[in-house]
Amino acid sequence: MNDAEITIDQLKTLVESFVVERDWAQFHNPKNLSMALAIEASELMDLFKWMTPDQCERNMSKNGIRSEAKDELADILIYAIAFANRNKIDITTAVRVKMEKNEKKYPADRFRGHF
């Protein structure tokens, strides 16, 4: 399956099934899951430590670091989905609402091309 062939709900079910099969829900509270997310994000950042932006781009086109980055990104997404599952957060609604806030906070006519 790829992004075009699976729904967020199906991903949530995939992650939840994995958690349930291992009886890990007991450990999945907001603190633990948010910490796990931060740790996985730092592991992704660590792959690029001390590299220039150009080196990062070049290394992402190679198998080694690209494969590691994909694994770390997957871990981040898995923990984010687990967080949503455990806290009954509808991901689509959360993203849509946040993007609406971002549109107001960062109007395109004022922020195009710069922060």
Side-chain angles (χ1 to χ4, degrees), residues 75-92:
D75 286 339
I76 293 164
L77 292 168
I78 290 165
Y79 278 121
I81 290 168
F83 187 93
N85 283 344
R86 200 59 49 232
N87 294 286
K88 297 177 179 31
I89 295 171
D90 183 278
I91 294 171
T92 300

Side-chain angles (χ1 to χ4, degrees), residues 46-103:
D46 193 51
L47 296 175
F48 303 100
K49 184 173 53 183
W50 311 122
M51 290 184 198
T52 66
D54 285 341
Q55 289 170 321
C56 292
E57 292 289 333
R58 278 194 306 275
N59 282 313
M60 277 303 292
S61 66
K62 297 177 183 173
N63 280 341
I65 200 167
R66 182 176 182 82
S67 178
E68 292 177 57
K70 286 171 27 178
D71 283 348
E72 297 306 338
L73 178 60
D75 286 339
I76 293 164
L77 292 168
I78 290 165
Y79 278 121
I81 290 168
F83 187 93
N85 283 344
R86 200 59 49 232
N87 294 286
K88 297 177 179 31
I89 295 171
D90 183 278
I91 294 171
T92 300
T93 301
V95 170
R96 183 181 43 74
V97 168
K98 182 60 178 175
M99 290 304 296
E100 289 169 0
K101 290 177 183 177
N102 287 344
E103 286 176 3

Side-chain angles (χ1 to χ4, degrees), residues 30-52:
K31 178 193 73 78
N32 288 350
L33 289 169
S34 64
M35 290 175 70
L37 262 165
I39 291 164
E40 294 302 337
S42 70
E43 289 177 3
L44 178 60
M45 291 187 316
D46 193 51
L47 296 175
F48 303 100
K49 184 173 53 183
W50 311 122
M51 290 184 198
T52 66

